[in-house]
Amino acid sequence: MKKNILILKGDGVGPEIVDEAIKVLKKVEKKFSHEFNLTYADFGGASIDKHGIPLTDETIQIALNSDSVLLGAVGGYKWENIEQSKRPEMGLLKLRKELNLYANIRPTKFYSQLSYSSPLKESITSKKIDFVIVRELTGGIYFGKKETEIIDGKKIAHDVMTYSEDEIRRIGIVAFEMALKLNKNITSVDKANVLHSSKLWREVMEDISKSYKSVPFNNMFVDNAAMQIISNPSQFGIMVTENMFGDILSDEASVITGSIGMAPSASLSSTTLGMYEPIHGSAPDIAGKNIANPIATIMSVAMMLKLSFGMNDESLAIENAVLKALDNNYRTVDIMPKDEK
Ligand code: IPM
Ligand code: MG
């Protein structure tokens, strides 16, 4: 198969981890006789330095014309104090919106090889932990009306959380289809005891669940979900939630595995175009030292091959190679036993 992949290395550890993931892509290309045509473009802080903005129209166009996008990470100290609308993170949000990547898939898998680095007790991790957070990615408070105004000489800031029925339904369907395919249960996470947008969220999720009678379904408040992820994570199959709750809960979930450096993600649209990136950030404190864990990015490539290109064997080969590397005790510093650091 011939595929065009846009590579956005980004900032901080981005270039280092993406370079490792490209080695994996090249290996798959050879082993399975595919042709991966890689294109590179500026993004994030690197784009601010060159073009004054984190995401240019040119990069958007290249992304739209690609079969998928591989992203490292964006942001860093250097761009922390610039105007909000020009920050590297705003480029990421704009790219998600422009590519209509409304479904963010964030798997949490416990690796028994790394059990020593999980902060959870063995009585919790000895049960199978393998769940997926399906995070709505192009709506909610991230994209609602934002403003800071001055009333009677004092500043007041607003961020509005808005959801339409259609936006909730389309992410709900992604989650239920995934639950059906993977034979997992669904927990819909909201704050329906307080928020209007969550009441609508719950109403729509309950309605969808009527069409998926074979999928076990329950609702959970987000504060309770934050607690249950730590105290009883093996209960979860698919967790579907709105944008900001998903942002927070997926960072929390990632530490179960022992390191956020292990957690990949896929952001999907209604076509096969997707964007794949580790869930961790640009880690400017360790950038340039070549010590960052590339596994999250390599596993993001595995997700790309499976979800955008339908290359199941290729994807599995990458997952198995990662497991083998762990079995053979290859470790970056974030997943090293304390006495070996
Ligand atoms: C993530 C990140 C982004 C988000 C930031 C960098 C804007 O935290 O992908 O989880 O909040 O979505
Ligand atoms: Mg986040």
Side-chain angles (χ1 to χ4, degrees):
M1 251 189 245
K2 214 170 158 174
K3 295 289 174 193
N4 294 320
I5 303 172
L6 171 62
I7 309 281
L8 302 172
K9 294 189 179 183
D11 311 311
V13 297
E16 302 162 33
I17 52 176
V18 169
D19 283 345
E20 297 308 307
I22 290 173
K23 287 183 197 162
V24 175
L25 267 175
K26 300 242 185 247
K27 193 90 187 169
V28 170
E29 187 177 37
K30 228 172 161 183
K31 193 166 172 201
F32 292 87
S33 306
H34 295 304
E35 198 182 324
F36 296 138
N37 178 21
L38 309 184
T39 309
Y40 298 82
D42 301 318
F43 188 51
S47 173
I48 296 174
D49 288 350
K50 247 172 142 176
H51 313 283
I53 46 173
L55 176 65
T56 61
D57 288 343
E58 195 194 339
T59 298
I60 296 173
Q61 269 319 313
I62 302 171
L64 283 168
N65 292 329
S66 302
D67 294 310
S68 76
V69 181
L70 178 65
L71 170 65
V74 290
Y77 309 130
K78 188 173 170 192
W79 308 281
E80 242 158 38
N81 293 321
I82 56 177
E83 187 203 321
Q84 175 77 5
S85 67
K86 295 210 174 97
R87 287 176 64 108
E89 291 86 347
M90 292 303 125
L92 182 57
L93 299 191
K94 185 163 183 212
L95 190 56
R96 288 173 178 168
K97 196 76 172 177
E98 293 284 343
L99 304 185
N100 195 23
L101 303 170
Y102 63 87
N104 187 215
I105 315 297
R106 299 189 160 185
T108 293
K109 230 187 203 137
F110 182 75
Y111 291 91
S112 54
Q113 296 94 330
L114 303 180
S115 54
Y116 56 83
S117 58
S118 176
L120 299 188
K121 282 188 196 145
E122 212 207 313
S123 57
I124 296 171
T125 58
S126 57
K127 293 190 199 131
K128 191 166 191 245
I129 301 173
D130 184 4
F131 65 94
V132 181
I133 295 181
V134 176
R135 168 189 176 196
E136 201 291 325
L137 202 61
T138 51
I141 200 165
Y142 274 55
F143 293 93
K145 191 174 170 209
K146 303 180 184 311
E147 67 179 337
T148 305
E149 50 183 345
I150 299 177
I151 297 180
D152 294 337
K154 302 244 185 245
K155 282 187 185 168
I156 299 188
H158 317 259
D159 297 275
V160 181
M161 188 188 278
T162 306
Y163 268 107
S164 72
E165 205 175 323
D166 289 351
E167 280 175 309
I168 301 171
R169 193 168 295 277
R170 68 178 180 176
I171 190 71
I173 289 171
V174 169
F176 275 89
E177 284 295 323
M178 190 178 287
L180 204 60
K181 206 160 136 201
L182 302 179
N183 199 18
K184 288 186 183 292
N185 63 22
I186 286 212
T187 304
S188 172
V189 173
D190 62 36
K191 189 73 186 171
N193 48 349
V194 177
L195 304 177
H196 271 252
S197 53
S198 278
K199 275 193 198 111
L200 181 60
W201 181 278
R202 188 171 284 213
E203 196 182 302
V204 175
M205 288 297 164
E206 281 175 351
D207 188 49
I208 302 172
S209 78
K210 290 185 198 139
S211 311
Y212 292 84
K213 290 239 157 58
S214 62
V215 178
F217 168 79
N218 72 315
N219 293 296
M220 194 177 275
F221 294 136
V222 62
D223 45 353
N224 185 19
M227 189 173 75
Q228 301 279 335
I229 282 178
I230 297 301
S231 60
N232 183 13
S234 59
Q235 72 183 288
F236 297 117
I238 306 287
M239 183 182 276
V240 60
T241 191
E242 69 87 37
N243 203 343
M244 188 168 66
F245 297 162
D247 177 47
I248 298 168
L249 294 179
S250 60
D251 264 34
E252 186 193 1
S254 75
V255 300
I256 293 176
T257 63
S259 170
I260 196 169
M262 300 294 294
S265 82
S267 301
L268 308 176
S269 64
S270 42
T271 69
T272 53
L273 172 63
M275 183 159 83
Y276 298 83
E277 54 176 312
I279 87 158
H280 62 75
S282 57
D285 53 326
I286 59 163
K289 297 184 182 160
N290 211 21
I291 59 168
N293 188 345
I295 290 181
T297 317
I298 290 169
M299 292 298 257
S300 299
V301 167
M303 291 183 86
M304 173 194 289
L305 298 186
K306 184 157 142 187
L307 300 175
S308 277
F309 306 158
M311 298 177 179
N312 295 336
D313 291 347
E314 293 82 338
S315 177
L316 201 63
I318 296 177
E319 284 175 25
N320 286 337
V322 166
L323 290 178
K324 204 164 148 192
L326 294 177
D327 284 340
N328 290 335
N329 287 318
Y330 289 102
R331 298 286 186 271
T332 42
V333 69
D334 56 315
I335 50 171
M336 224 174 251
K338 269 202 183 72
D339 51 354
E340 289 175 29
K341 279 187 191 171

